[in-house]
Amino acid sequence: MKASKNATVAKVRAIYGKRLKENDYNELFLKKKVIEAADYLKRNTHYSKVLSGVDTSSIHRGYLETLLNKAYFDEYERICKFQQLNEEPFYNFLLIKEELSELLKAILYLNNDRKDAYIESMHGFLIKKSSFNLIELAKAENFNQLLRVIKNTPYYNIIKNIKPDENGNIPYTKCEVALRTYYLKWLLKTAEEQFDSTAKDAILQQIKLQADFINIVNSYRLKKYFAGDFQTLKDFSLPFYGRLSQAKQYELYESDTPEEFLRRLSRTVYGRLMENLDENMESGRFETEVEKLQCSMAKRALLLTDNAAVSLFSYMYLTEVEINNIISIVECIRYGKPVSYMQSLVIMQ
Amino acid sequence: MSIEKMDYINIVGFMDELDRTLEKCIESQCFHISKSVEEQDGMKRLEGENPYKELLKDIISADTGGLVEFSEIRYDEKKYYDLEKLKLDFSQMSQKLDAYSRETGELTEKLAERKQAYQQLAHLKGLQLDMAQLFKCSHIKPRFGRLPNESAQKLSYYEDKSFIFIPYDDDGNYKWGIYFAPADSIAEADRIFKSLYFEKIWIPNFVSDTPENESLKLEKEIAVLEESLKKKIEERNGYILEIQDNLKCCFCRVKYLYDLYELRKCVLVYKDKFYLTGFVPHTKSDEFTELCNTVRSVSVVSKPAENSEKLKVPVKLKNSRFSRPFSMFVEMYGLPSYGGFNPTTLVAITYTIMFGIMFGDLGQGLLISLIGFFVYKKSGNKLGAILQRVGISSAFFGLLYGSVFGFEDLLDPLYKAIGLSHKPIEVMDSTMMILLGAICIGVVIILISIIINIFISLRHRDFSAAFFGNNGVAGLVFFGALLAGIAVMMTGEGSLFTVPYVLGLIVLPLILMFFREPLGCWLSGKKYHLEGGIGDFIASNFFEVFEFILGYATNTLSFVRIGGFIFSHAGMMSVVMLLSESFSVGASPIVIVLGNLFVMGMEGLIVGIQVLRLEFYEVFSRFYDGDGVAFEPVKVNYDVNVD
């Protein structure tokens, strides 16, 4: 069984080898129109297959994003089917992640009273795969209707007790923390049950690493934009600890200012690994630096592991980063942003 | 077989003669211009945008449909001397080319439109509708187009809206179809479908029949347009062929002026005079001065290159006919500095011998040499010339090993004829001799490298390196004494390692190496400054000397690979022979030929790389810096790249 999983590890590495390189990004930076960028992706990158049936000379930016996201999910399904990994519960992780993401998106649009906008942004490829009816979710006009749609899913119990405020607004952040916590708990529980000790340790490490990074970014945002105190940061953090222990995380939350937060972070294991961490850096740059570190750790895990779960988990994260890079570049091209700005947003692997 | 002697040239003249002087510099083909001269004493560098840049770019970017390749050609200088006339000429050609470009572009665009319409109508062929009737509807509005399959799944969300989508084709990515909506709600339907990335298709205004019939009409129209386009392209190509020589001449003339102007960036100016510096090979110095003196106000001063003060003197290697191609390897590592040592001959000899020893086969060697000959003849590639030489060496050693294309007994009659009872060297029976021989070759090469370093260091008055360095006299004595002692011990005729021998020839050189820096300063009459304290001095020098000793051992053993490859070659060829025996009589020669080609390709490449590695790591690292600047005479570069 182990040997057969190694084939997946090798396949994932081979697919990862086709990722966009610095040269591709440099070419994309020089494009003046979205259609030129789409055409480059079609002719020169591993996205050629997904874009093959598309006329890039008239492609809409939104549709390009949809196609890229679909390619991302299709790739995941293809890898899982390669050695019937899809028959094992853990390998549903991306579907669950996407479902939760749809659910949160729907809540966000409901709060903003833009119900029709949700159907436009919904990932159509999930309609037939999702464990709940996405079209019905899009039709929901309030939180109760939304809960009815997900009644038969585990997500119902997670958010059923969250009450909308007097204006009918659903507390989005609470929902997000609850659903993310559920997702991570599910990952940990499934990994515990499914894998033997070495594989389990390896994948648990990756999951907790991801939780660490989510906590660092979220708590920094709360500190920077809402001057969140210790209790607020603690309430909105995910109860998982990887290389940053609970005590260390609490120490960060106790910072009085965002600058102090960064100063304290620089003394942690992650801070020492971040090359350009500076207490006066802009929030956007800080998040890019965190993502860069996360990316390099995922890349390291992908290249060194012999475990299919770690391999796929890391690969999907790295591909997500790549797609976000492309989306950022396309947005920048659309709004005529300079190359230097694009470079600051892109995380090269 | 050394480095060509250079003269340092200073040219002074009036500004109005600058262009003519630069022309003479190009004409001489032996003037290396100094680009790094600093502005000083009120002298300014000539700056400014090249006035020929735009014209040159226009010529290069003229739409010639890829039929004209710009390169150097001979042209009548008088005819193209008048730049205004050249501009006028080019402008006429350019206007006509632009007109052709516009006309073919319009036709191509029209054709593409028709083809697109034809493709789109192809999706409507299943629709038995009278399009004219459909377009006449006043209360219901139709929209033709394609909807991504992803989006089609979202349509059920809009059940309560007053539109209907009818698909009539599916190409895997898109559903092709029509949506209808009442006239008063078509705007909303349009908005929804736009958000679902529905792409409307263009139905030509003239469509009045069924899609099938309209497709037939378009087919005919496309054929007519294609014919027109073909004719137009032929007409344009004819015109391009007619003007191509003229265009190339314009390019050459403007490129000449452009490059000439670019040289101005190396010129310093003071008031109305220009100053130009550079280098010319000593042998060409008089000729160059004479040529420049034909320009009225110019004065040329020539001095030995050593007087060039801060400027780095360019290097032109002087090599014999045999060693010339091997300069490629030397240049790959970096040229020697002016006044340094040109190692090309050493490389040529050692590379050829080592390659021959490692890849000894009479037949393969001659074949490699032949291939090298043709490659060099055809492309002028220096690697071809190197192959010629190493192939001969390989053939010679093949003669000693008695190997011809892997046949080990083929040369036996020859040996008998000259009175030998067997091959001079039986590879598989002489393992120890070959390995020890390889080490001996290594020792000789290392000793030669050390001696060269001693001479170079003495020439540069670097006494520390010459006498006390690991590649100096101390190193030579230590390495030589140690090897001599070991050699005598191996012969079993006693031991040289007596106390005075060890103390005087092994320990003393090590002590000298340990104190090489202070001793070097003392010999040069300089004061030695101890940096970092005595502890630091002892620690760093102890480890450095330890590294030197390790280095001697590893560098010597590195040459064992020479012997290793002799066995590897013999082994690989015996595998080829064994394989050929296992095949039928008919297939056996094919296996031998393919096997030989494989061994020649793969092993030849590996041996070539390994010998180069020995040259670079074990030889060059002992005495060679490779920080010289290549001698590049100013010339016009007729390529199409413009900064």
Side-chain angles (χ1 to χ4, degrees):
Chain A
M1 187 67 184
K2 192 173 185 300
S4 69
K5 297 267 177 72
N6 283 345
T8 297
V9 176
K11 186 179 173 74
V12 170
R13 272 188 210 141
I15 299 172
Y16 181 65
K18 293 178 188 162
R19 70 192 178 280
L20 297 191
K21 310 280 174 9
E22 194 179 344
N23 186 36
D24 295 311
Y25 286 118
N26 287 338
E27 289 288 338
L28 287 171
F29 291 152
L30 297 175
K31 304 298 174 209
K32 300 278 178 240
K33 291 177 185 165
V34 173
I35 52 171
E36 287 174 14
D39 195 53
Y40 180 82
L41 291 171
K42 183 177 177 176
R43 288 177 194 279
N44 304 289
T45 68
H46 63 103
Y47 294 104
S48 57
K49 197 175 168 194
V50 68
L51 295 172
S52 62
V54 180
D55 179 8
T56 44
S57 66
S58 60
I59 194 166
H60 186 277
R61 177 188 55 84
Y63 185 46
L64 176 64
E65 282 178 27
T66 304
L67 285 173
L68 295 176
N69 283 316
K70 183 176 181 301
Y72 169 67
F73 198 80
D74 286 350
E75 188 78 89
Y76 155 76
E77 284 194 317
R78 228 180 348 265
I79 296 171
C80 287
K81 276 181 192 159
F82 176 55
Q83 289 186 294
Q84 291 82 46
L85 295 179
N86 48 340
E87 290 168 7
E88 298 175 30
F90 180 82
Y91 294 99
N92 277 321
F93 71 85
L94 195 67
L95 180 61
I96 293 177
K97 191 177 168 211
E98 289 288 328
E99 283 182 348
L100 295 178
S101 159
E102 289 301 324
L103 204 49
L104 286 168
K105 231 173 2 179
I107 292 171
L108 200 63
Y109 282 111
L110 258 183
N111 278 348
N112 292 329
D113 214 10
R114 293 178 61 218
K115 195 166 71 72
D116 283 348
Y118 169 60
I119 188 78
E120 291 165 16
S121 74
M122 175 204 288
H123 288 165
F125 55 85
L126 289 172
I127 291 173
K128 285 184 181 163
K129 302 180 198 305
S130 175
S131 62
F132 52 89
N133 191 328
L134 281 173
I135 297 294
E136 290 305 314
L137 182 75
K139 285 180 181 170
E141 294 192 344
N142 54 47
F143 193 48
N144 282 336
Q145 287 181 11
L146 183 142
L147 286 175
R148 262 201 297 280
V149 176
I150 57 167
K151 179 95 181 169
N152 296 323
T153 68
Y155 318 135
Y156 175 75
N157 285 332
I158 308 298
I159 56 169
K160 69 175 182 191
N161 294 327
I162 296 175
K163 299 286 174 225
D165 65 14
E166 61 276 13
N167 301 321
N169 280 334
I170 311 156
Y172 177 81
T173 317
K174 267 190 186 171
C175 291
E176 188 185 14
V177 173
L179 290 171
R180 273 186 167 175
T181 306
Y182 163 77
Y183 172 63
L184 288 167
K185 273 186 180 166
W186 177 87
L187 280 174
L188 294 170
K189 185 171 160 279
T190 320
E192 294 257 9
E193 286 168 4
Q194 192 177 316
F195 301 119
D196 61 21
S197 66
T198 323
K200 189 172 69 191
D201 288 348
I203 190 67
L204 292 189
Q205 196 187 357
Q206 289 305 309
I207 296 165
K208 286 177 179 172
L209 214 63
Q210 210 170 67
D212 276 354
F213 284 114
I214 293 171
N215 279 341
I216 289 172
V217 170
N218 280 357
S219 52
Y220 176 74
R221 281 183 192 163
L222 283 168
K223 185 67 69 187
K224 174 99 180 173
Y225 300 112
F226 303 100
D229 58 11
F230 173 78
Q231 196 54 42
T232 315
L233 267 63
K234 187 169 158 282
D235 290 347
F236 285 111
S237 69
L238 302 171
F240 305 99
Y241 310 99
R243 292 175 72 177
L244 207 57
S245 64
Q246 189 182 39
K248 283 274 178 200
Q249 290 201 14
Y250 283 4
E251 203 179 296
L252 289 178
Y253 303 160
E254 279 165 356
S255 311
D256 290 330
T257 61
E259 290 76 25
E260 195 187 337
F261 182 96
L262 294 185
R263 214 165 27 247
R264 288 185 180 191
L265 180 65
S266 69
R267 292 195 292 267
T268 66
V269 60
Y270 296 125
R272 284 194 290 275
L273 289 170
M274 279 157 50
E275 283 173 20
N276 304 314
L277 185 61
D278 164 17
E279 63 183 75
N280 297 316
M281 72 201 307
E282 286 173 19
S283 152
R285 239 189 81 210
F286 167 67
E287 289 186 25
T288 308
E289 287 301 318
V290 173
E291 205 158 359
K292 266 187 197 169
L293 176 63
Q294 195 176 354
C295 225
S296 84
M297 292 177 101
K299 186 176 171 181
R300 193 179 149 78
L302 170 68
L303 298 178
L304 297 179
T305 190
D306 59 353
N307 177 291
V310 173
S311 180
L312 186 61
F313 194 73
S314 309
Y315 172 71
M316 293 321 297
Y317 170 72
L318 291 166
T319 311
E320 189 185 336
V321 171
E322 182 175 284
I323 287 174
N324 287 339
N325 281 342
I326 300 173
I327 292 173
S328 300
I329 293 173
V330 167
E331 287 283 339
C332 288
I333 293 172
R334 186 181 171 212
Y335 293 109
K337 296 281 181 191
V339 172
S340 56
Y341 182 70
M342 293 189 214
Q343 283 168 331
S344 71
L345 297 179
V346 165
I347 294 153
M348 296 202 192
Q349 299 172 30
Chain B
M1 284 171 287
S2 58
I3 292 169
E4 183 126 14
K5 205 166 166 348
M6 291 283 162
D7 274 359
Y8 175 48
I9 303 288
N10 276 294
I11 308 174
V12 184
F14 285 109
M15 277 304 289
D16 52 358
E17 301 275 32
L18 175 59
D19 283 344
R20 278 202 63 207
T21 312
L22 290 172
E23 280 178 10
K24 293 291 168 196
C25 291
I26 292 174
E27 194 186 323
S28 73
Q29 295 182 3
C30 64
F31 181 68
H32 175 105
I33 201 161
S34 288
K35 291 171 186 158
S36 55
V37 184
E38 287 171 11
E39 293 184 344
Q40 52 179 328
D41 303 331
M43 289 199 281
K44 294 276 173 209
R45 198 182 291 280
L46 266 182
E47 300 287 356
E49 184 76 1
N50 196 317
Y52 306 105
K53 191 172 183 174
E54 288 310 313
L55 179 59
L56 183 61
K57 277 189 172 174
D58 286 348
I59 295 175
I60 291 167
S61 58
D63 185 5
T64 57
L67 294 175
V68 179
E69 272 187 28
F70 293 113
S71 57
E72 185 179 5
I73 58 161
R74 293 185 74 83
Y75 63 95
D76 181 358
E77 280 184 35
K78 279 182 196 159
K79 189 178 165 193
Y80 292 92
Y81 192 80
D82 184 352
L83 195 65
E84 289 309 313
K85 190 176 168 298
L86 184 149
K87 277 183 186 170
L88 194 67
D89 265 9
F90 172 68
S91 159
Q92 283 167 354
M93 290 188 279
S94 171
Q95 276 173 16
K96 205 154 181 190
L97 284 173
D98 284 349
Y100 277 123
S101 202
R102 204 169 41 248
E103 283 163 13
T104 50
E106 279 165 8
L107 278 172
T108 311
E109 202 176 318
K110 212 169 172 183
L111 188 62
E113 259 182 21
R114 294 297 183 273
K115 280 186 175 171
Q116 198 183 8
Y118 179 74
Q119 273 179 354
Q120 286 160 352
L121 279 177
H123 290 285
L124 303 177
K125 273 185 183 169
L127 205 63
Q128 289 306 318
L129 266 179
D130 184 336
M131 306 296 274
Q133 291 294 319
L134 194 64
F135 288 136
K136 273 182 198 163
C137 294
S138 53
H139 297 293
I140 297 287
K141 296 289 174 194
R143 297 282 189 264
F144 293 88
R146 58 181 193 172
L147 185 67
N149 283 343
E150 298 298 314
S151 303
Q153 295 183 52
K154 295 181 185 176
L155 283 175
S156 58
Y157 175 80
Y158 301 102
E159 285 166 341
D160 56 339
K161 302 286 178 192
S162 51
F163 63 75
I164 180 169
F165 177 73
I166 303 169
Y168 49 73
D169 199 3
D170 189 336
D171 64 10
N173 291 315
Y174 292 93
K175 282 196 176 4
W176 294 76
I178 322 170
Y179 65 83
F180 298 95
D184 55 356
S185 56
I186 190 70
E188 190 194 14
D190 284 346
R191 188 194 58 73
I192 290 170
F193 274 87
K194 194 180 171 195
S195 75
L196 295 174
Y197 313 119
F198 180 83
E199 291 172 32
K200 284 185 197 171
I201 58 171
W202 173 71
I203 303 294
N205 295 333
F206 49 79
V207 171
S208 55
D209 207 338
T210 62
E212 203 137 6
N213 292 340
E214 284 303 334
S215 291
L216 287 173
K217 285 183 200 167
L218 271 177
E219 251 174 54
K220 283 177 191 159
E221 200 180 337
I222 286 169
V224 172
L225 280 170
E226 275 177 340
E227 187 56 32
S228 312
L229 183 63
K230 195 177 153 200
K231 274 187 186 159
K232 191 51 80 182
I233 289 173
E234 277 171 4
E235 194 183 319
R236 184 198 65 173
N237 290 354
Y239 176 67
I240 291 169
L241 286 175
E242 199 180 295
I243 61 158
Q244 66 169 341
D245 286 343
N246 197 4
L247 207 54
K248 283 179 184 174
C249 293
C250 287
F251 165 76
C252 286
R253 174 66 186 153
V254 177
K255 183 72 171 120
Y256 177 82
L257 293 169
Y258 175 85
D259 280 10
L260 194 71
Y261 198 89
E262 283 296 294
L263 290 178
R264 285 173 162 245
K265 289 175 183 165
C266 308
V267 173
L268 290 181
V269 176
Y270 182 73
K271 290 184 181 167
D272 59 346
K273 282 188 175 169
F274 71 85
Y275 296 83
L276 190 58
T277 55
F279 297 88
V280 168
H282 179 69
T283 49
K284 300 267 178 89
S285 186
D286 291 343
E287 201 181 307
F288 177 76
T289 311
E290 213 171 290
L291 186 69
C292 287
N293 282 339
T294 57
V295 184
R296 193 173 44 87
S297 69
V298 165
S299 120
V300 180
V301 179
S302 162
K303 298 182 216 167
E306 289 75 8
N307 296 350
S308 63
E309 296 160 5
K310 291 177 194 166
L311 294 179
K312 204 158 190 178
V313 185
V315 174
K316 188 180 179 196
L317 298 178
K318 221 159 80 176
N319 293 314
S320 67
R321 198 183 147 94
F322 169 73
S323 61
R324 203 164 296 144
F326 292 90
S327 64
M328 184 180 113
F329 292 151
V330 176
E331 283 159 18
M332 208 185 275
Y333 193 92
L335 282 166
S337 52
Y338 186 74
F341 174 72
N342 174 8
T344 315
T345 308
L346 180 72
V347 172
I349 295 169
T350 49
Y351 193 95
T352 308
I353 294 174
M354 284 196 280
F355 187 94
I357 295 174
M358 291 160 84
F359 192 80
D361 189 293
L362 179 64
Q364 290 179 357
L366 290 175
L367 189 57
I368 283 180
S369 194
L370 203 66
I371 292 170
F373 173 77
F374 285 116
V375 168
Y376 186 62
K377 193 99 179 153
K378 189 116 182 127
S379 64
N381 192 327
K382 282 183 181 173
L383 209 56
I386 293 174
L387 284 181
Q388 274 182 62
R389 287 149 176 80
V390 297
I392 301 284
S393 168
S394 173
F396 172 75
F397 283 97
L399 206 59
L400 295 184
Y401 304 152
S403 175
V404 185
F405 289 122
F407 293 99
E408 301 294 323
D409 307 319
L410 215 62
L411 295 174
D412 286 353
L414 176 73
Y415 299 132
K416 280 180 188 152
I418 58 170
L420 291 173
S421 58
H422 54 80
K423 302 171 184 175
I425 299 171
E426 181 58 72
V427 171
M428 288 307 186
D429 296 340
S430 324
T431 320
M432 273 315 281
M433 189 196 88
I434 287 173
L435 291 178
L436 285 174
I439 290 178
C440 287
I441 293 170
V443 168
V444 171
I445 291 176
I446 290 173
L447 288 175
I448 292 173
S449 308
I450 293 177
I451 292 167
I452 292 171
N453 183 58
I454 293 170
F455 279 107
I456 294 174
S457 303
L458 283 175
R459 199 194 287 177
H460 293 154
R461 304 187 66 73
D462 183 357
F463 298 120
S464 168
F467 293 113
F468 312 116
N470 60 325
N471 293 315
V473 176
L476 184 72
V477 173
F478 169 80
F479 186 53
L482 198 67
L483 286 170
I486 292 171
V488 171
M489 265 175 75
M490 285 177 75
T491 57
E493 293 175 8
S495 168
L496 286 181
F497 293 120
T498 58
V499 174
Y501 184 91
V502 171
L503 286 178
L505 298 178
I506 294 177
V507 178
L508 181 63
L510 286 178
I511 294 171
L512 291 176
M513 280 191 252
F514 188 90
F515 291 105
R516 66 195 178 286
E517 282 174 19
L519 287 172
C521 288
W522 169 69
L523 264 186
S524 330
K526 292 178 196 161
K527 198 170 178 192
Y528 176 69
H529 297 282
L530 190 67
E531 285 171 14
I534 190 84
D536 195 31
F537 174 84
I538 293 172
S540 64
N541 280 290
F542 172 78
F543 284 110
E544 277 183 29
V545 171
F546 184 67
E547 199 195 326
F548 293 159
I549 298 170
L550 278 181
Y552 288 126
T554 53
N555 292 346
T556 311
L557 289 175
S558 187
F559 283 89
V560 171
R561 78 187 69 212
I562 295 178
F565 273 95
I566 301 176
F567 301 127
S568 144
H569 182 72
M572 282 177 89
M573 286 320 300
S574 68
V575 170
V576 172
M577 289 302 158
L578 274 174
L579 267 177
S580 75
E581 282 165 20
S582 65
F583 279 83
S584 65
V585 182
S588 176
I590 299 170
V591 174
I592 292 173
V593 170
L594 290 178
N596 267 284
L597 289 175
F598 174 74
V599 171
M600 275 167 64
M602 196 185 82
E603 214 198 330
L605 184 71
I606 295 173
V607 167
I609 293 168
Q610 288 296 329
V611 180
L612 195 61
R613 181 222 168 272
L614 285 174
E615 296 283 355
F616 284 174
Y617 282 89
E618 317 303 350
V619 180
F620 279 31
S621 61
R622 296 190 181 276
F623 61 83
Y624 197 64
D625 282 336
D627 59 351
V629 178
F631 174 76
E632 284 171 349
V634 287
K635 62 175 183 183
V636 177
N637 189 0
Y638 291 99
D639 67 23
V640 289
N641 295 322
V642 180
D643 297 332

